[in-house]
Amino acid sequence: MLKKPALILYLIFVHALAALFVYETWLKPYYYPADLQVENIKDPTEVTPVPTPQVIPSIEAATPEPEITETETNANQALNNSTNETAQTLMIPVVGIKREQLQDTYNNARSGGRVHNAIDIIAPGGTPVVAASDGEIAKFFYSNGGGGITIYQYSHDKYFIYYYAHLQNRADNIKEHDFVKQGTVIGYVGDTGNSGAGNYHLHFSIGVLTDPKRFFDAAELNPYPILKNSIEAK
């Protein structure tokens, strides 16, 4: 019973092998000549395009642009908005102080959560204080708990207000509403007000005015980036 199916499978296998032999020997060369048979091999003469590598800029070689601070930007804008007479180069308001001696104390903290909003110019007591620019003396003021002996001075066109504080005293030959030229001695470095005994320096600030009558109400401007390019008083 099992011999017949086995014989049939055997005969099918033998005939399949015979058919494969006939195909490979006689039929395949006839229908597929050797010169038309292409192997799946890449042509060695073919040039493969190679993408041009992108140049990656060196981080170390990059030179960063000089950073301009917000205070310098504000100072430049304020000067550009003023008249040519007001925009004259300021003079360091303490005789003998050089530009490299100035320190930026504008953002220094003060009591009560306040910010300094001025520059402290350190100098010996009695050193002459001069007008930073041409302009009218707006007001003399004294505050025992604040700036001590002070002077408010307008710029020539009353666009700016300059404030000189902690003076030892004011010059005898000036009074309110006098027009003074740049470099005129208007006072002397002291330690009055809340400066502290022996802490001799000039507290100097610059304000941008919206109403010249309100000289005490001005938008503060950092004097440091302006004075570091200013004239030295001798």
Side-chain angles (χ1 to χ4, degrees), residues 117-167:
N117 289 342
I119 183 173
D120 283 344
I121 304 175
I122 310 300
T127 303
V129 172
V130 299
S133 76
D134 300 346
E136 178 188 339
I137 300 297
K139 183 73 175 176
F140 290 161
F141 190 73
Y142 178 80
S143 172
N144 187 50
I149 299 173
T150 66
I151 298 174
Y152 289 89
Q153 180 203 356
Y154 292 119
S155 62
H156 187 278
D157 62 358
K158 297 186 177 181
Y159 187 86
F160 294 121
I161 190 74
Y162 307 116
Y163 177 64
Y164 311 79
H166 303 311
L167 299 173

Side-chain angles (χ1 to χ4, degrees), residues 186-209:
I186 58 176
Y188 302 90
V189 171
D191 60 353
T192 58
N194 63 3
S195 173
N199 183 22
Y200 296 108
H201 68 277
L202 175 70
H203 171 107
F204 179 71
S205 70
I206 301 176
V208 180
L209 294 167

Side-chain angles (χ1 to χ4, degrees), residues 89-103 119-123 127-133 164 182-184 202 204 223-224 226-234:
T89 302
L90 293 187
M91 177 175 284
I92 296 175
V94 179
V95 171
I97 297 299
K98 299 184 179 302
R99 288 183 287 271
E100 57 267 24
Q101 292 178 267
L102 299 174
Q103 297 181 10
I119 183 173
D120 283 344
I121 304 175
I122 310 300
T127 303
V129 172
V130 299
S133 76
Y164 311 79
Q182 183 182 70
T184 301
L202 175 70
F204 179 71
Y224 178 76
I226 301 173
L227 292 183
K228 71 178 182 179
N229 297 311
S230 62
I231 301 168
E232 296 174 356
K234 300 179 181 180

Side-chain angles (χ1 to χ4, degrees), residues 37 44 46 75 80 86 97 110 123 162 196 202 210 213 216 229:
Q37 296 180 27
E46 183 179 352
N80 290 335
T86 299
I97 297 299
R110 289 296 184 266
Y162 307 116
L202 175 70
T210 53
K213 294 180 181 179
F216 50 85
N229 297 311

Side-chain angles (χ1 to χ4, degrees), residues 65-85:
E65 292 294 327
E67 186 174 327
I68 301 176
T69 64
E70 183 178 354
T71 55
E72 288 178 311
T73 300
N74 292 340
N76 291 332
Q77 288 177 346
L79 291 174
N80 290 335
N81 290 337
S82 66
T83 66
N84 290 333
E85 291 176 306

